[in-house]
Amino acid sequence: MQPASWAEALAMKADNPEALPIAGGTDVMVEINFDRARPAAIIDLTRIADLTEWGTEGGLLRIGAGVTYTRLIDELGDRLPGLAMASRTVGSPQIRNRGTVGGNLGSASPAGDAHPPLLASNALVELASTSGSRRVPAREFYIGPKRNAMRKDELIAAFLVEPAKGPQQFSKVGTRNAMVIAVCSLAIALDAERHRVGIGIGSAAPTPVRAGEAETFMEAVLDEGGLWERPAALAPSALARFGELVAAAARPIDDVRGTAAYRLHALAVLARRSFSWAWDEYRRAASA
Ligand SMILES: Cc1cc2nc3c(=O)[nH]c(=O)nc-3n(C[C@H](O)[C@H](O)[C@H](O)COP(=O)(O)OP(=O)(O)OC[C@H]3O[C@@H](n4cnc5c(N)ncnc54)[C@H](O)[C@@H]3O)c2cc1C
């Protein structure tokens, strides 16, 4: 099915709840080529202009589900640096030219690279059907391994996220430097206005997850030390504890890409390093 408008796409999905949407096809076509899926019907979303648009809504950016990684990097990298860093690690130029965040959300793989930055910056996922639309916080969107909160009659319209209010980072461990599925990954978003720390973890639990205790711990370190106002170097012991708490938020498994023990170790290292990079950036900006 090839709907030409969003309304038509929603009507087709309502009439054919089993039909599989396709955007960039970089997940769907792999499933079909390996004969892991034989969808009876496919809804091609690539002709729907609405899905490829982005704009502002209140203080938020609303980004159509069909915006590719390449466009996110080029057009929104200054406002969403964490998501842009993650997007740069996705596949190859060809995959980034086709692949979309909407497709990453649709697949909801625990290893999807868009998820940690969306979690860290409290993004919302906008789902739509013929009966209306709803916005689900990213932290409630991932409900199990490769399962998300989308109902069968719904499509992903967009995601909404605040432009960065402070430094952001994304780090990913893989078995090589490009074209690699994350062994584990981590995103950090500092909100210097609200004094908040957001952490998203990928590929280390049945779903992408936040690291709530690590966030609260680091917020207290920064607040109690008056560090947002007078940014100083962080005590190594605080960074070490932060790393432990990030690792404690994960529930990794042993699989072909890595062991659970390695993932826990790597997450603690990623957490310490990425936080140091983000904090150094904050300090540099404060002293400029
Ligand atoms: C060689 C290669 C390398 C890759 N490397 C990476 C990587 O490094 N990191 C990473 O995260 N991923 C990677 N991927 C996976 C893939 O590129 C991403 O998951 C990408 O974001 C999928 O987007 P898409 O638009 O191609 O989705 P599609 O394949 O079109 O769709 C994916 C899923 O989302 C659903 N869907 C798509 N759009 C919508 C919508 N608007 N509403 C509802 N459902 C929708 C589809 O039905 C399907 O279930 C790689 C894939 C390949 C083939």
Side-chain angles (χ1 to χ4, degrees):
M1 288 172 270
Q2 290 195 309
S5 70
W6 185 230
E8 204 183 339
L10 294 178
M12 284 175 175
K13 188 64 175 150
D15 291 344
N16 306 275
E18 300 303 328
L20 186 71
I22 187 167
T26 60
D27 277 329
V28 167
M29 291 313 299
V30 174
E31 293 292 296
I32 291 175
N33 287 343
F34 282 103
D35 217 6
R36 291 195 287 248
R38 281 283 142 201
I42 289 180
I43 304 182
D44 173 11
L45 300 175
T46 57
R47 297 182 178 197
I48 299 166
D50 303 29
L51 288 182
T52 62
E53 288 165 5
W54 63 265
T56 50
E57 194 187 294
L60 299 176
L61 289 162
R62 182 182 179 280
I63 302 164
V67 173
T68 62
Y69 294 108
T70 299
R71 285 187 53 212
L72 268 173
I73 296 164
D74 292 348
E75 299 169 28
L76 290 162
D78 55 343
R79 277 156 284 189
L80 301 174
L83 186 58
M85 283 180 199
S87 301
R88 280 188 207 102
T89 77
V90 172
S92 60
Q94 295 89 334
I95 297 295
R96 295 194 286 274
N97 285 342
R98 296 287 308 181
T100 64
V101 172
N104 217 232
L105 289 165
S107 294
S109 159
D113 288 319
H115 310 314
L118 294 182
L119 282 170
S121 43
N122 292 311
L124 302 169
V125 182
E126 186 177 310
L127 301 172
S129 70
T130 48
S131 37
S133 66
R134 60 187 178 122
R135 291 175 175 177
V136 181
R139 64 178 180 280
E140 292 167 22
F141 181 74
Y142 312 107
I143 58 172
K146 301 192 176 179
R147 288 180 50 229
N148 62 40
M150 191 169 44
R151 290 194 305 257
K152 280 194 177 303
D153 65 338
E154 286 180 318
L155 292 171
I156 303 166
F159 63 98
L160 294 97
V161 62
E162 254 192 338
K165 301 277 186 218
Q168 299 186 341
Q169 281 291 334
F170 175 81
S171 308
K172 168 172 165 181
V173 173
T175 46
R176 56 185 182 187
N177 277 343
M179 291 286 283
V180 71
I181 302 177
V183 174
C184 63
S185 63
L186 178 106
I188 293 185
L190 298 189
D191 182 338
E193 286 180 11
R194 298 186 193 88
H195 293 188
R196 304 301 298 269
V197 173
I199 312 289
I201 298 173
S203 227
T207 65
V209 288
R210 279 186 76 132
E213 279 189 44
E215 293 173 353
T216 312
F217 169 79
M218 198 45 103
E219 284 166 3
V221 167
L222 299 178
D223 275 335
E224 286 161 19
L227 295 177
W228 290 106
E229 294 79 16
R230 292 175 306 284
L234 292 168
S237 58
L239 281 171
R241 181 69 187 136
F242 175 69
E244 284 169 12
L245 289 171
V246 167
R251 280 183 291 139
I253 53 167
D254 294 335
D255 67 13
V256 286
R257 295 198 300 279
T259 62
Y262 175 72
R263 287 184 157 106
L264 292 175
H265 169 77
L267 272 178
V269 175
L270 288 186
R272 291 198 302 269
R273 282 190 196 157
S274 307
F275 198 87
S276 300
W277 293 329
W279 189 245
D280 286 349
E281 187 184 331
Y282 182 73
R283 291 178 68 198
R284 276 196 305 277
S287 66

